[in-house]
Amino acid sequence: MAAVESYSRAVEFAVDEKNGTVKQVWSYGEASRERLYAGFQGGAIRLPKTGNTFITYGGVCSIGGRPATGPDRFDPGEANSRDRLDICARLIEVTPDKQVVLDLQIGGASSDPKALSVFRSELVQP
């Protein structure tokens, strides 16, 4: 699947070990307004005080504003644009009903280092 068709998402499952079943109970990222593609690194954690979910999209790659697979592999037609590859991280906090309450982008400007990414993040409440 090409990067422009791909998306990343945070998913919560309910696991019933006794009966050996798994059921998806919540997700964020598949609706068109939520879509964001991190080709590498990411994670999500439920925040105990608020019940919100803090999502790390660690390696969001783009070429000319369009999602790209990079930085180490490229979809057909992207390899010639490697020098225009932008990498940023997005940290997003969403409520259980999927309202965004924090959206922070780190990097992504053409002057930023091309190897910029976030491996792990943690939301610190005041």
Side-chain angles (χ1 to χ4, degrees):
M1 180 179 295
V4 295
E5 299 168 358
S6 300
Y7 61 91
S8 303
R9 64 191 186 125
V11 182
E12 178 183 3
F13 295 99
V15 179
D16 183 339
E17 292 182 26
K18 181 180 175 188
N19 293 314
T21 61
V22 176
K23 179 182 175 186
Q24 180 178 316
V25 295
W26 185 87
S27 67
Y28 178 85
E30 65 274 357
S32 60
R33 64 175 168 44
E34 303 167 355
R35 286 202 176 180
L36 187 60
Y37 176 56
F40 60 98
Q41 297 176 334
I45 187 168
R46 180 64 43 85
L47 301 173
K49 285 186 177 181
T50 62
N52 293 350
T53 302
F54 186 60
I55 306 167
T56 302
Y57 296 91
V60 179
C61 299
S62 63
I63 297 173
R66 297 185 67 225
T69 308
D72 298 323
R73 62 185 174 87
F74 293 89
D75 286 341
E78 290 180 348
N80 295 336
S81 302
R82 185 182 189 110
D83 61 329
R84 295 187 304 127
L85 179 71
D86 292 319
I87 303 174
C88 73
R90 294 271 297 275
L91 310 177
I92 300 176
E93 180 184 353
V94 296
T95 64
D97 63 349
K98 302 182 182 184
Q99 298 300 310
V100 175
V101 294
L102 173 71
D103 187 347
L104 175 65
Q105 179 172 317
I106 301 170
S110 58
S111 61
D112 289 337
K114 295 300 180 196
L116 180 70
S117 67
V118 171
F119 174 70
R120 183 179 300 144
S121 62
E122 183 176 338
L123 184 65
V124 178
Q125 301 282 340

